[in-house]
């Protein structure tokens, strides 16, 4: 199992007090990309309208700019509001191949306390069957601790609390 403790502690320290979505996403993408061999693309797609995601901060090769909800692994994650662990992208109907080297993939939805999917974290590997349910748990916890609070804070501000 991958050890997320060090990168988790570093991220919590660096991101302490930061409330800007892009600053947080950029830092998460860079730290995760740099921490694990085999994380060959790490980045975010942001929900920008009811059926559309646009690329956010990422590390790795060129990523597609736009993903509709009905396309790809990212689309499945946002539609179902649940993580998608794809051991072999060639077996996933509708996988969007931004890089032909990608073999496996993990997509974690970023869901606020109101249940809205705000974004997805997409991690691709050039190695087959690279991700496990332990990655889902560790990365989901990281999103809950570091990124999701800003969306909930936004909601509180909106109602003037
Ligand atoms: N893997 C994604 C597409 C985005 S890129 O790989 C960066 C998908 O099928 O949703």
């Amino acid at each position: 199992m991958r050890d997320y403790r060090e990168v988790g502690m570093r991220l919590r320290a660096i991101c302490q007090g930061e409330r800007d979505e892009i600053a947080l996403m950029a830092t998460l993408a860079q730290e995760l990309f740099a921490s694990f061999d085999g994380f060959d693309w790490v980045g975010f797609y942001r929900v920008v309208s009811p059926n559309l995601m646009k690329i956010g901060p990422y590390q790795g090769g060129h990523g597609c700019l736009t993903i509709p909800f009905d396309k790809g692994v990212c689309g499945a994650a946002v539609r179902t509001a649940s993580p998608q662990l794809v051991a072999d992208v060639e077996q996933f109907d509708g996988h969007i191949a931004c890089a032909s080297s990608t073999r496996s993939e993990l997509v974690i939805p970023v869901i606020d306390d109101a249940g809205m999917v705000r974004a997805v974290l997409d991690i691709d590997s050039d190695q087959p069957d690279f991700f496990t349910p332990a990655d889902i748990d560790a990365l989901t916890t990281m999103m809950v601790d570091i990124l999701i609070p800003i969306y909930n804070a936004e909601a509180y501000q909106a109602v003037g609390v």
Side-chain angles (χ1 to χ4, degrees), residues 38-152:
F39 281 20
D40 296 303
W41 195 96
V42 181
F44 290 87
Y45 281 91
R46 300 163 297 118
V47 174
V48 294
S49 62
N51 279 303
L52 204 65
M53 284 176 284
K54 291 279 184 188
I55 194 136
Y58 68 95
Q59 296 275 316
H62 164 84
C64 1
L65 274 64
T66 299
I67 300 184
F69 280 20
D70 61 352
K71 295 275 182 335
V73 184
C74 293
V78 76
R79 273 198 320 275
T80 60
S82 57
Q84 303 291 307
L85 198 166
V86 180
D88 177 358
V89 294
E90 284 174 22
Q91 302 301 315
F92 188 96
D93 197 20
H95 171 250
I96 304 164
C98 289
S100 59
S101 53
T102 300
R103 289 286 164 269
S104 59
E105 171 159 349
L106 177 61
V107 181
I108 308 274
V110 176
I111 304 171
D112 69 18
D113 284 0
M116 297 220 341
V117 182
R118 298 298 195 111
V120 299
L121 168 65
D122 180 4
I123 305 182
D124 300 345
S125 181
D126 292 353
Q127 300 176 40
D129 200 8
F130 193 69
F131 303 100
T132 72
D135 292 303
I136 296 179
D137 290 347
L139 291 162
T140 301
T141 300
M142 209 174 263
M143 294 303 111
V144 167
D145 289 352
I146 296 174
L147 183 57
I148 289 171
I150 64 165
Y151 302 117
N152 299 327

